[in-house]
Structures are given as structure tokens and as C-alpha cells.
Amino acid sequence: MILELLFVVVVGLGWGIAVGSGFVAFITVLDIIPRLTQLTNAHQHIRKLEWALVSGALFFTLIDFFPIQAALPIYVTSLYGLFAGIFVGTLAAGLTEALNVFPIIAKRLHMDSSLLYLLMAMVLGKITGSLLQWMLHL
């Protein structure tokens, strides 16, 4: 029994280190945080953004381990959803900006002249999908 438990702990720690290292490499190699501060003009807050990213990853990892439930008012959960959406959106914007995803897609789809329409369609689709998921509890 103890040997099995030790095996599970070692495998779990190994996978955690692998996933954490991949996440850090992803953020570091692509310069997501510096690019995000450049896009948002928040160079003076770069350390706060880094600590927010680390703290958020650690907090939600702990939330995954322990089944914590909180019955919060709709206003609190709406505010949380707003901030989580802003975070994910700005992180995705920094990533796409670093990889030049949209100009490449527009060029391959021969939509160079209508890049703004492509971006707006993607943004509106994401907003619509998020609202439907939230409102319909999908």
C-alpha cells in the first residue's frame, strides 16, 4: 500500500514538473508577458503581471486538488468571469501578436484587405460563444 502511494506521488510530481516546465517554457520562449506589457503599455507593472500569472496558476492548481465550493452572489461571479475573460483574452492577444497569427491567416485566406472584418468576426464569435456557455450553463 505504501509502495503504491509512493509511486502515485512520484508519478504525480513528475507530471506536474513536466507540465509546469512546459508552461513556463511556453510563456518564456514566446515572450508573452513582455509582449503583453508592450501591447497594453504597462511596462511599469511587468513584475505584477508575472506574479499574477504565477499566483493564478498556483491558486487554480490548489483549487483542482481540493474540492472547494463557494456559493457567491451573481455579481461576484460575474466580476470574476469578467476578469478571467480579460486575462485570457489579453494573454491570447499577446500570444497571437507574438506569433503573427492573424496576418498569416489573412494572407492564406486572401483576406489581406479585410483583416479588420476577420478579427471582428473572431472576437464577436468568441464573445457570443462565451455568453451562450455562461447563460445556458454548458
Side-chain angles (χ1 to χ4, degrees):
M1 179 72 174
I2 292 178
L3 211 55
E4 290 176 3
L5 186 61
L6 185 63
F7 178 73
V8 169
V9 167
V10 168
V11 169
L13 282 174
W15 279 107
I17 289 170
V19 170
S21 299
F23 180 69
V24 169
F26 171 73
I27 297 294
T28 304
V29 168
L30 295 176
D31 285 335
I32 299 297
I33 298 295
R35 187 67 182 139
L36 184 60
T37 58
Q38 184 180 10
L39 287 173
T40 58
N41 199 18
H43 297 288
Q44 67 274 15
H45 301 294
I46 191 166
R47 294 287 178 227
K48 293 175 187 173
L49 286 171
E50 289 171 348
W51 277 107
L53 184 68
V54 170
S55 300
L58 182 62
F59 175 74
F60 286 105
T61 299
L62 292 175
I63 292 294
D64 278 345
F65 279 119
F66 305 107
I68 298 172
Q69 293 182 348
L72 299 173
I74 189 84
Y75 301 111
V76 175
T77 55
S78 297
L79 189 63
Y80 167 76
L82 176 69
F83 285 134
I86 289 171
F87 173 75
V88 170
T90 54
L91 194 61
L95 176 62
T96 55
E97 180 68 26
L99 296 177
N100 289 328
V101 170
F102 292 125
I104 292 171
I105 288 174
K107 187 179 286 186
R108 290 195 180 172
L109 295 175
H110 304 292
M111 296 180 67
D112 294 334
S113 61
S114 54
L115 180 61
L116 179 63
Y117 298 119
L118 176 66
L119 291 174
M120 291 307 293
M122 295 176 107
V123 167
L124 292 174
K126 178 64 179 165
I127 290 171
T128 304
S130 297
L131 286 175
L132 285 174
Q133 181 181 8
W134 183 60
M135 293 168 74
L136 299 176
H137 304 289
L138 299 175

